Amino acid sequence: MGGPGGPRRYPASVRLAVGDLVVYGSHGSGPVAARETRLVLGKRQEVVVLALAGGLRVELSLKQAREVLRPLADSTDMSRVQETLGAGHFVNNDSWLKRQRDSRAKLSGGDPVGLAEIIRDAASRDRTVSAKGAKLRLSPGEREVFVKARQLLAAEIALVQDIELAEADTWIDEQLMRAS
């Protein structure tokens, strides 16, 4: 989410206290539910337990958690998400495979601006009519990535803004409408 060179670099050490809200790439966002010491492969390790949407519980070693988790989006991130969703965008005419590969990379990174780009581009493509007069449609794979990106972004927005998921989803729609 930083400069034009790629995703924003987050602080090397994310606080991982019980109750802290964090994001785990394409898995989603939620609170740290517990920190426990466990015996893993014969060694005692500290483990971070996350409680994510849909009842998903994820356990990560403390070392791994520090590498893959990031804090929730801040106000600067949210402004960039809003700008991205509301920006007019041309329809990407790259091959389906390239679009799919790019979108999946953004999805797995879980960066909020990358997720907003997936949503914006899919919405733009879905409402565009080709030169031949046919409406461009998202492939099933593109639709799957779009739906997942929207779920992840809406969940993070709901946590950041302390609103219901449905309100976050409406907020995304409102930003997309500005681009129409």
Side-chain angles (χ1 to χ4, degrees):
M1 275 202 12
R8 173 177 161 190
R9 300 292 173 223
Y10 291 95
S13 62
V14 175
R15 275 198 39 169
L16 295 170
V18 172
D20 284 352
L21 297 172
V22 295
V23 179
Y24 182 18
S26 64
H27 299 287
S29 49
V32 173
R35 280 181 68 163
E36 304 168 352
T37 302
R38 299 235 176 106
L39 194 60
V40 179
L41 299 174
K43 291 184 181 180
R44 296 194 74 61
Q45 285 189 353
E46 191 164 1
V47 175
V48 175
V49 181
L50 307 177
L52 304 178
L56 178 64
R57 291 181 64 82
V58 177
E59 296 181 9
L60 301 167
S61 70
L62 184 59
K63 180 180 186 268
Q64 186 180 17
R66 291 192 195 280
E67 292 171 0
V68 300
L69 299 178
R70 69 168 173 81
L72 283 180
D74 60 21
S75 60
T76 301
D77 299 329
M78 289 304 298
S79 292
R80 294 203 49 224
V81 165
Q82 187 173 21
E83 289 170 20
T84 300
L85 290 171
H89 186 68
F90 68 94
V91 174
N92 183 343
N93 287 321
D94 287 342
S95 72
W96 171 87
L97 188 58
K98 181 170 179 0
R99 288 193 319 269
Q100 182 80 345
R101 190 172 38 247
D102 292 347
S103 292
R104 287 206 182 273
K106 289 176 186 177
L107 183 66
S108 68
D111 184 81
V113 172
L115 297 174
E117 289 170 351
I118 293 170
I119 295 163
R120 175 203 61 202
D121 295 351
S124 177
R125 184 169 193 75
D126 203 40
R127 66 176 172 251
T128 300
V129 176
S130 73
K132 296 179 182 176
K135 188 170 183 185
L136 298 178
R137 296 275 181 206
L138 296 176
S139 71
E142 286 174 306
R143 180 153 307 282
E144 175 188 325
V145 171
F146 163 73
V147 167
K148 179 70 173 173
R150 189 165 174 130
Q151 289 170 342
L152 291 171
L153 186 60
E156 185 168 359
I157 290 168
L159 287 173
V160 168
Q161 296 182 357
D162 194 23
I163 59 177
E164 294 296 320
L165 190 56
E167 292 174 87
D169 211 40
T170 299
W171 184 86
I172 291 171
D173 285 336
E174 289 168 355
Q175 306 320 304
L176 290 170
M177 295 302 287
R178 295 180 337 168
S180 297

